[in-house]
Amino acid sequence: GKTYYGGNGPDPYTGTFDSVGSLHGPSWWTLNLGASHDIGHNLKASVLATNLLAGVHNHGYPWEMPTSQQNISYADNGNYSALPLGLAGPASQGTKYYGTNYYAYSPSGILPYRDWVFSVSAKI
């Protein structure tokens, strides 16, 4: 097989030229709960709990993090190099660490942590 450099060939992971919209981010769901109660004539107490339960479903791309990391989006990896590892940069100088240039995409967002919001409101 041919080796392509500099983005002149097909995607090395899919073997095809990826069209716009052909790659999808993970799907995810979350369960939130809100409740309020009138505690007086013009007074109301509320509580909102977010991300009580959540789940992430990956598509199986090589750059995806484990679902336990709850990563919900990916972006371009500014450190990605189309050159073979070790040909240029720190790796060519005998460094064992090549940075984060293994994949063209890197994590850019995670599900928010569980959060509790308490509030009391009054009508004047």
Side-chain angles (χ1 to χ4, degrees):
K2 293 183 177 180
T3 303
Y4 297 94
Y5 302 106
N8 296 327
D11 181 322
Y13 305 108
T14 63
T16 63
F17 289 94
D18 299 323
S19 61
V20 174
S22 64
L23 300 175
H24 302 281
S27 61
W28 54 278
W29 61 270
T30 182
L31 176 69
N32 306 315
L33 178 66
S36 63
H37 182 69
D38 291 330
I39 57 175
H41 178 58
N42 290 329
L43 206 56
K44 179 169 69 171
S46 301
V47 62
L48 172 65
T50 62
N51 203 25
L52 292 175
L53 295 173
V56 176
H57 173 73
N58 287 330
H59 293 283
Y61 302 129
W63 56 83
E64 289 179 315
M65 303 292 287
T67 56
S68 62
Q69 299 293 316
Q70 295 193 347
N71 193 72
I72 59 173
S73 65
Y74 292 85
D76 290 338
N77 185 354
N79 296 317
Y80 177 71
S81 172
L83 295 172
L85 294 176
L87 187 64
S92 66
Q93 298 160 8
T95 300
K96 293 282 185 188
Y97 177 69
Y98 299 122
T100 56
N101 57 349
Y102 292 107
Y103 302 116
Y105 305 100
S106 61
S108 67
I110 62 170
L111 280 173
Y113 292 105
R114 184 171 297 133
D115 205 6
W116 296 85
V117 179
F118 299 96
S119 64
V120 176
S121 59
K123 288 184 184 179
I124 300 178

